[in-house]
């Protein structure tokens, strides 16, 4: 088990790169999208079943693979591939960058909803570029670093549970009616707890990887340390601040959403982002994903070795 989980994580990342998919996310999202605000007990049961079912499925396969390293590696690889979304984020971000670079603002507006909840109709080229970089930054943590970190520590249950929590947060409306604000609060709290470590790990990896794409590592560290606490959420500003510093651009500010205008804190002190910055942001996300894959494999091996020693001592 010491190396099987690590191998499975790496195989899952490779599969996501070649066959980008989000199977579990697409399957689970069909449930939360139909949550009824006037049936709170039923909603609570459905959410609990989604979370519990994901964990139980992961635990069952994990136990079956304890005596069979090949099954352990294969199960971890399949779960990793199913929950990762890094390759999809990179592909969508690159396509939007190409549209902006060609001056096709209409095409960029059509693509933005695949990355962001912002209202694209209210954004010009610069606004679209800023929203794209912000979304790529956030998705670097949510779609790559978070799942891999939880997978390294908790195996298949960690991978599946993390993704379900993330999907539930995305499926619940941020501005809910009074009848089901409890559901928004619960999903937000779960998501905040699940991402406390991954968001910060992603920011650190962003700073370390910035020079690979011609970015500024000192800038990433400086802006991250200065601006990461400006957002009310404990996690939202972490990776965005690191990306802003690494790319030497400004993120945040006045942002249009379907539900209205939000005045978000400004992160960084550089210039307004453009199509080239979206391209660099996408490449930075890709590099951070590779670094996260390697780090998660090492962490999984260390965690597995520690558990093996404890079992040997008890035996």
């Amino acid at each position: 088990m010491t190396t099987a989980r690590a191998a499975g994580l790496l195989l899952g990342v490779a599969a996501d790169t070649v066959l980008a998919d989000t199977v579990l996310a697409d399957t689970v999202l069909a449930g939360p999208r139909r949550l009824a605000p006037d049936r709170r007990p039923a909603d609570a049961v459905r959410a609990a079943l989604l979370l519990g079912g994901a964990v139980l499925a992961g635990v069952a396969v994990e136990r079956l693979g304890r005596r069979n390293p090949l099954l352990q590696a294969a199960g971890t690889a399949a779960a990793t591939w199913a929950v990762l979304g890094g390759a999809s984020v990179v592909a969508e971000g690159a396509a939007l960058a190409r549209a902006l670079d060609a001056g096709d603002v209409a095409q960029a507006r059509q693509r933005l909803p695949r990355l962001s909840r912002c209202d694209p109709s209210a954004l010009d080229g610069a606004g679209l570029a800023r929203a794209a970089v912000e979304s790529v930054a956030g998705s670097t943590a949510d779609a790559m670093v978070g799942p891999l970190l939880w997978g390294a520590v908790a195996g298949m249950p960690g991978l599946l549970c993390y993704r379900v929590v993330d999907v539930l947060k995305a499926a619940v409306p941020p501005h809910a009616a009074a009848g089901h604000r409890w559901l928004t609060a619960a999903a937000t709290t779960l998501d905040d707890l699940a991402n406390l470590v991954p968001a910060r790990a992603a920011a650190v990896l962003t700073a370390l990887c910035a020079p690979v794409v011609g970015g500024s590592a000192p800038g990433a560290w400086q802006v991250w340390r200065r601006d990461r606490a400006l957002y009310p959420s404990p996690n939202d500003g972490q990776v965005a601040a690191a990306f802003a510093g690494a790319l030497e651009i400004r993120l945040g500010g006045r942002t249009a959403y379907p539900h209205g205008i939000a005045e978000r804190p400004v992160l960084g002190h550089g210039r307004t982002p453009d199509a080239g910055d979206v391209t660099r942001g996408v490449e930075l996300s890709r590099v951070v994903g590779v670094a996260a894959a390697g780090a998660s494999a090492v962490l999984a091996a260390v965690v597995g070795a520690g558990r093996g020693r404890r079992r040997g001592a008890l035996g």
Side-chain angles (χ1 to χ4, degrees), residues 225-240:
R225 293 177 62 187
R226 187 193 67 192
D227 296 347
R228 60 186 176 180
L230 293 179
Y231 279 54
S233 165
N235 304 319
D236 283 354
Q238 300 286 333
V239 190

mmCIF file with all atom_site columns, all heavy atoms in Angstrom, residues 225-240:
data_model
loop_
_atom_site.group_PDB
_atom_site.id
_atom_site.type_symbol
_atom_site.label_atom_id
_atom_site.label_alt_id
_atom_site.label_comp_id
_atom_site.label_asym_id
_atom_site.label_entity_id
_atom_site.label_seq_id
_atom_site.pdbx_PDB_ins_code
_atom_site.Cartn_x
_atom_site.Cartn_y
_atom_site.Cartn_z
_atom_site.occupancy
_atom_site.B_iso_or_equiv
_atom_site.pdbx_formal_charge
_atom_site.auth_seq_id
_atom_site.auth_comp_id
_atom_site.auth_asym_id
_atom_site.auth_atom_id
_atom_site.pdbx_PDB_model_num
ATOM 1   N N   . ARG A 1 225 ? 1.192   37.096 0.841  1.00 0.00 ? 225 ARG A N   1
ATOM 2   C CA  . ARG A 1 225 ? 1.271   37.406 2.275  1.00 0.00 ? 225 ARG A CA  1
ATOM 3   C C   . ARG A 1 225 ? 0.504   38.678 2.615  1.00 0.00 ? 225 ARG A C   1
ATOM 4   O O   . ARG A 1 225 ? -0.093  38.786 3.682  1.00 0.00 ? 225 ARG A O   1
ATOM 5   C CB  . ARG A 1 225 ? 2.730   37.542 2.695  1.00 0.00 ? 225 ARG A CB  1
ATOM 6   C CG  . ARG A 1 225 ? 3.511   36.237 2.613  1.00 0.00 ? 225 ARG A CG  1
ATOM 7   C CD  . ARG A 1 225 ? 4.970   36.439 2.962  1.00 0.00 ? 225 ARG A CD  1
ATOM 8   N NE  . ARG A 1 225 ? 5.123   36.912 4.327  1.00 0.00 ? 225 ARG A NE  1
ATOM 9   C CZ  . ARG A 1 225 ? 6.288   37.294 4.857  1.00 0.00 ? 225 ARG A CZ  1
ATOM 10  N NH1 . ARG A 1 225 ? 7.384   37.295 4.105  1.00 0.00 ? 225 ARG A NH1 1
ATOM 11  N NH2 . ARG A 1 225 ? 6.356   37.691 6.107  1.00 0.00 ? 225 ARG A NH2 1
ATOM 12  N N   . ARG A 1 226 ? 0.471   39.646 1.695  1.00 0.00 ? 226 ARG A N   1
ATOM 13  C CA  . ARG A 1 226 ? -0.174  40.928 1.975  1.00 0.00 ? 226 ARG A CA  1
ATOM 14  C C   . ARG A 1 226 ? -1.671  40.897 1.761  1.00 0.00 ? 226 ARG A C   1
ATOM 15  O O   . ARG A 1 226 ? -2.444  41.466 2.555  1.00 0.00 ? 226 ARG A O   1
ATOM 16  C CB  . ARG A 1 226 ? 0.453   42.007 1.076  1.00 0.00 ? 226 ARG A CB  1
ATOM 17  C CG  . ARG A 1 226 ? -0.010  43.426 1.388  1.00 0.00 ? 226 ARG A CG  1
ATOM 18  C CD  . ARG A 1 226 ? 0.398   44.357 0.270  1.00 0.00 ? 226 ARG A CD  1
ATOM 19  N NE  . ARG A 1 226 ? -0.328  44.066 -0.973 1.00 0.00 ? 226 ARG A NE  1
ATOM 20  C CZ  . ARG A 1 226 ? 0.004   44.586 -2.149 1.00 0.00 ? 226 ARG A CZ  1
ATOM 21  N NH1 . ARG A 1 226 ? 1.053   45.370 -2.254 1.00 0.00 ? 226 ARG A NH1 1
ATOM 22  N NH2 . ARG A 1 226 ? -0.712  44.280 -3.220 1.00 0.00 ? 226 ARG A NH2 1
ATOM 23  N N   . ASP A 1 227 ? -2.129  40.239 0.661  1.00 0.00 ? 227 ASP A N   1
ATOM 24  C CA  . ASP A 1 227 ? -3.527  40.366 0.242  1.00 0.00 ? 227 ASP A CA  1
ATOM 25  C C   . ASP A 1 227 ? -4.392  39.145 0.502  1.00 0.00 ? 227 ASP A C   1
ATOM 26  O O   . ASP A 1 227 ? -5.596  39.197 0.266  1.00 0.00 ? 227 ASP A O   1
ATOM 27  C CB  . ASP A 1 227 ? -3.586  40.690 -1.264 1.00 0.00 ? 227 ASP A CB  1
ATOM 28  C CG  . ASP A 1 227 ? -2.965  42.045 -1.582 1.00 0.00 ? 227 ASP A CG  1
ATOM 29  O OD1 . ASP A 1 227 ? -2.715  42.821 -0.651 1.00 0.00 ? 227 ASP A OD1 1
ATOM 30  O OD2 . ASP A 1 227 ? -2.721  42.312 -2.776 1.00 0.00 ? 227 ASP A OD2 1
ATOM 31  N N   . ARG A 1 228 ? -3.815  38.041 0.953  1.00 0.00 ? 228 ARG A N   1
ATOM 32  C CA  . ARG A 1 228 ? -4.590  36.798 1.049  1.00 0.00 ? 228 ARG A CA  1
ATOM 33  C C   . ARG A 1 228 ? -5.749  36.884 2.025  1.00 0.00 ? 228 ARG A C   1
ATOM 34  O O   . ARG A 1 228 ? -6.723  36.138 1.901  1.00 0.00 ? 228 ARG A O   1
ATOM 35  C CB  . ARG A 1 228 ? -3.672  35.648 1.462  1.00 0.00 ? 228 ARG A CB  1
ATOM 36  C CG  . ARG A 1 228 ? -2.991  35.853 2.813  1.00 0.00 ? 228 ARG A CG  1
ATOM 37  C CD  . ARG A 1 228 ? -2.001  34.758 3.105  1.00 0.00 ? 228 ARG A CD  1
ATOM 38  N NE  . ARG A 1 228 ? -1.270  35.001 4.346  1.00 0.00 ? 228 ARG A NE  1
ATOM 39  C CZ  . ARG A 1 228 ? -0.338  34.204 4.847  1.00 0.00 ? 228 ARG A CZ  1
ATOM 40  N NH1 . ARG A 1 228 ? -0.026  33.094 4.190  1.00 0.00 ? 228 ARG A NH1 1
ATOM 41  N NH2 . ARG A 1 228 ? 0.281   34.493 5.966  1.00 0.00 ? 228 ARG A NH2 1
ATOM 42  N N   . ALA A 1 229 ? -5.670  37.780 3.012  1.00 0.00 ? 229 ALA A N   1
ATOM 43  C CA  . ALA A 1 229 ? -6.727  37.865 4.026  1.00 0.00 ? 229 ALA A CA  1
ATOM 44  C C   . ALA A 1 229 ? -7.768  38.930 3.709  1.00 0.00 ? 229 ALA A C   1
ATOM 45  O O   . ALA A 1 229 ? -8.656  39.186 4.533  1.00 0.00 ? 229 ALA A O   1
ATOM 46  C CB  . ALA A 1 229 ? -6.109  38.147 5.399  1.00 0.00 ? 229 ALA A CB  1
ATOM 47  N N   . LEU A 1 230 ? -7.701  39.549 2.526  1.00 0.00 ? 230 LEU A N   1
ATOM 48  C CA  . LEU A 1 230 ? -8.639  40.614 2.205  1.00 0.00 ? 230 LEU A CA  1
ATOM 49  C C   . LEU A 1 230 ? -10.041 40.090 1.948  1.00 0.00 ? 230 LEU A C   1
ATOM 50  O O   . LEU A 1 230 ? -11.020 40.790 2.183  1.00 0.00 ? 230 LEU A O   1
ATOM 51  C CB  . LEU A 1 230 ? -8.143  41.391 0.973  1.00 0.00 ? 230 LEU A CB  1
ATOM 52  C CG  . LEU A 1 230 ? -6.853  42.205 1.156  1.00 0.00 ? 230 LEU A CG  1
ATOM 53  C CD1 . LEU A 1 230 ? -6.479  42.889 -0.149 1.00 0.00 ? 230 LEU A CD1 1
ATOM 54  C CD2 . LEU A 1 230 ? -7.011  43.226 2.275  1.00 0.00 ? 230 LEU A CD2 1
ATOM 55  N N   . TYR A 1 231 ? -10.151 38.869 1.429  1.00 0.00 ? 231 TYR A N   1
ATOM 56  C CA  . TYR A 1 231 ? -11.464 38.298 1.141  1.00 0.00 ? 231 TYR A CA  1
ATOM 57  C C   . TYR A 1 231 ? -12.104 37.783 2.427  1.00 0.00 ? 231 TYR A C   1
ATOM 58  O O   . TYR A 1 231 ? -11.410 37.275 3.303  1.00 0.00 ? 231 TYR A O   1
ATOM 59  C CB  . TYR A 1 231 ? -11.334 37.152 0.136  1.00 0.00 ? 231 TYR A CB  1
ATOM 60  C CG  . TYR A 1 231 ? -11.230 37.602 -1.301 1.00 0.00 ? 231 TYR A CG  1
ATOM 61  C CD1 . TYR A 1 231 ? -10.266 38.511 -1.694 1.00 0.00 ? 231 TYR A CD1 1
ATOM 62  C CD2 . TYR A 1 231 ? -12.108 37.121 -2.264 1.00 0.00 ? 231 TYR A CD2 1
ATOM 63  C CE1 . TYR A 1 231 ? -10.159 38.926 -3.003 1.00 0.00 ? 231 TYR A CE1 1
ATOM 64  C CE2 . TYR A 1 231 ? -12.005 37.527 -3.592 1.00 0.00 ? 231 TYR A CE2 1
ATOM 65  C CZ  . TYR A 1 231 ? -11.031 38.433 -3.945 1.00 0.00 ? 231 TYR A CZ  1
ATOM 66  O OH  . TYR A 1 231 ? -10.934 38.843 -5.244 1.00 0.00 ? 231 TYR A OH  1
ATOM 67  N N   . PRO A 1 232 ? -13.436 37.894 2.546  1.00 0.00 ? 232 PRO A N   1
ATOM 68  C CA  . PRO A 1 232 ? -14.098 37.393 3.760  1.00 0.00 ? 232 PRO A CA  1
ATOM 69  C C   . PRO A 1 232 ? -13.991 35.888 3.915  1.00 0.00 ? 232 PRO A C   1
ATOM 70  O O   . PRO A 1 232 ? -13.942 35.374 5.027  1.00 0.00 ? 232 PRO A O   1
ATOM 71  C CB  . PRO A 1 232 ? -15.559 37.832 3.579  1.00 0.00 ? 232 PRO A CB  1
ATOM 72  C CG  . PRO A 1 232 ? -15.717 38.064 2.099  1.00 0.00 ? 232 PRO A CG  1
ATOM 73  C CD  . PRO A 1 232 ? -14.389 38.542 1.627  1.00 0.00 ? 232 PRO A CD  1
ATOM 74  N N   . SER A 1 233 ? -13.944 35.148 2.792  1.00 0.00 ? 233 SER A N   1
ATOM 75  C CA  . SER A 1 233 ? -13.762 33.702 2.866  1.00 0.00 ? 233 SER A CA  1
ATOM 76  C C   . SER A 1 233 ? -12.321 33.391 3.244  1.00 0.00 ? 233 SER A C   1
ATOM 77  O O   . SER A 1 233 ? -11.395 34.076 2.802  1.00 0.00 ? 233 SER A O   1
ATOM 78  C CB  . SER A 1 233 ? -14.098 33.056 1.521  1.00 0.00 ? 233 SER A CB  1
ATOM 79  O OG  . SER A 1 233 ? -13.600 31.730 1.458  1.00 0.00 ? 233 SER A OG  1
ATOM 80  N N   . PRO A 1 234 ? -12.100 32.350 4.062  1.00 0.00 ? 234 PRO A N   1
ATOM 81  C CA  . PRO A 1 234 ? -10.727 32.027 4.458  1.00 0.00 ? 234 PRO A CA  1
ATOM 82  C C   . PRO A 1 234 ? -9.873  31.493 3.320  1.00 0.00 ? 234 PRO A C   1
ATOM 83  O O   . PRO A 1 234 ? -8.645  31.440 3.439  1.00 0.00 ? 234 PRO A O   1
ATOM 84  C CB  . PRO A 1 234 ? -10.919 30.954 5.539  1.00 0.00 ? 234 PRO A CB  1
ATOM 85  C CG  . PRO A 1 234 ? -12.238 30.332 5.231  1.00 0.00 ? 234 PRO A CG  1
ATOM 86  C CD  . PRO A 1 234 ? -13.084 31.453 4.696  1.00 0.00 ? 234 PRO A CD  1
ATOM 87  N N   . ASN A 1 235 ? -10.485 31.099 2.197  1.00 0.00 ? 235 ASN A N   1
ATOM 88  C CA  . ASN A 1 235 ? -9.725  30.453 1.121  1.00 0.00 ? 235 ASN A CA  1
ATOM 89  C C   . ASN A 1 235 ? -9.733  31.197 -0.206 1.00 0.00 ? 235 ASN A C   1
ATOM 90  O O   . ASN A 1 235 ? -8.804  31.037 -1.004 1.00 0.00 ? 235 ASN A O   1
ATOM 91  C CB  . ASN A 1 235 ? -10.267 29.033 0.890  1.00 0.00 ? 235 ASN A CB  1
ATOM 92  C CG  . ASN A 1 235 ? -10.250 28.189 2.141  1.00 0.00 ? 235 ASN A CG  1
ATOM 93  O OD1 . ASN A 1 235 ? -9.306  28.232 2.918  1.00 0.00 ? 235 ASN A OD1 1
ATOM 94  N ND2 . ASN A 1 235 ? -11.314 27.432 2.368  1.00 0.00 ? 235 ASN A ND2 1
ATOM 95  N N   . ASP A 1 236 ? -10.767 31.983 -0.488 1.00 0.00 ? 236 ASP A N   1
ATOM 96  C CA  . ASP A 1 236 ? -10.962 32.541 -1.829 1.00 0.00 ? 236 ASP A CA  1
ATOM 97  C C   . ASP A 1 236 ? -9.789  33.391 -2.302 1.00 0.00 ? 236 ASP A C   1
ATOM 98  O O   . ASP A 1 236 ? -9.449  33.374 -3.486 1.00 0.00 ? 236 ASP A O   1
ATOM 99  C CB  . ASP A 1 236 ? -12.250 33.366 -1.876 1.00 0.00 ? 236 ASP A CB  1
ATOM 100 C CG  . ASP A 1 236 ? -13.493 32.495 -1.946 1.00 0.00 ? 236 ASP A CG  1
ATOM 101 O OD1 . ASP A 1 236 ? -13.334 31.271 -2.069 1.00 0.00 ? 236 ASP A OD1 1
ATOM 102 O OD2 . ASP A 1 236 ? -14.604 33.048 -1.869 1.00 0.00 ? 236 ASP A OD2 1
ATOM 103 N N   . GLY A 1 237 ? -9.180  34.149 -1.409 1.00 0.00 ? 237 GLY A N   1
ATOM 104 C CA  . GLY A 1 237 ? -8.127  35.049 -1.837 1.00 0.00 ? 237 GLY A CA  1
ATOM 105 C C   . GLY A 1 237 ? -6.744  34.447 -1.889 1.00 0.00 ? 237 GLY A C   1
ATOM 106 O O   . GLY A 1 237 ? -5.802  35.087 -2.378 1.00 0.00 ? 237 GLY A O   1
ATOM 107 N N   . GLN A 1 238 ? -6.589  33.222 -1.426 1.00 0.00 ? 238 GLN A N   1
ATOM 108 C CA  . GLN A 1 238 ? -5.257  32.636 -1.298 1.00 0.00 ? 238 GLN A CA  1
ATOM 109 C C   . GLN A 1 238 ? -4.556  32.470 -2.647 1.00 0.00 ? 238 GLN A C   1
ATOM 110 O O   . GLN A 1 238 ? -3.497  33.051 -2.903 1.00 0.00 ? 238 GLN A O   1
ATOM 111 C CB  . GLN A 1 238 ? -5.361  31.281 -0.593 1.00 0.00 ? 238 GLN A CB  1
ATOM 112 C CG  . GLN A 1 238 ? -5.960  31.325 0.803  1.00 0.00 ? 238 GLN A CG  1
ATOM 113 C CD  . GLN A 1 238 ? -5.009  31.903 1.829  1.00 0.00 ? 238 GLN A CD  1
ATOM 114 O OE1 . GLN A 1 238 ? -3.797  31.822 1.680  1.00 0.00 ? 238 GLN A OE1 1
ATOM 115 N NE2 . GLN A 1 238 ? -5.552  32.475 2.885  1.00 0.00 ? 238 GLN A NE2 1
ATOM 116 N N   . VAL A 1 239 ? -5.120  31.659 -3.529 1.00 0.00 ? 239 VAL A N   1
ATOM 117 C CA  . VAL A 1 239 ? -4.456  31.354 -4.802 1.00 0.00 ? 239 VAL A CA  1
ATOM 118 C C   . VAL A 1 239 ? -4.541  32.540 -5.752 1.00 0.00 ? 239 VAL A C   1
ATOM 119 O O   . VAL A 1 239 ? -3.596  32.807 -6.509 1.00 0.00 ? 239 VAL A O   1
ATOM 120 C CB  . VAL A 1 239 ? -5.063  30.100 -5.443 1.00 0.00 ? 239 VAL A CB  1
ATOM 121 C CG1 . VAL A 1 239 ? -4.221  29.651 -6.631 1.00 0.00 ? 239 VAL A CG1 1
ATOM 122 C CG2 . VAL A 1 239 ? -5.154  28.966 -4.431 1.00 0.00 ? 239 VAL A CG2 1
ATOM 123 N N   . ALA A 1 240 ? -5.655  33.264 -5.729 1.00 0.00 ? 240 ALA A N   1
ATOM 124 C CA  . ALA A 1 240 ? -5.790  34.432 -6.608 1.00 0.00 ? 240 ALA A CA  1
ATOM 125 C C   . ALA A 1 240 ? -4.714  35.463 -6.293 1.00 0.00 ? 240 ALA A C   1
ATOM 126 O O   . ALA A 1 240 ? -4.133  36.064 -7.209 1.00 0.00 ? 240 ALA A O   1
ATOM 127 C CB  . ALA A 1 240 ? -7.176  35.041 -6.462 1.00 0.00 ? 240 ALA A CB  1
#
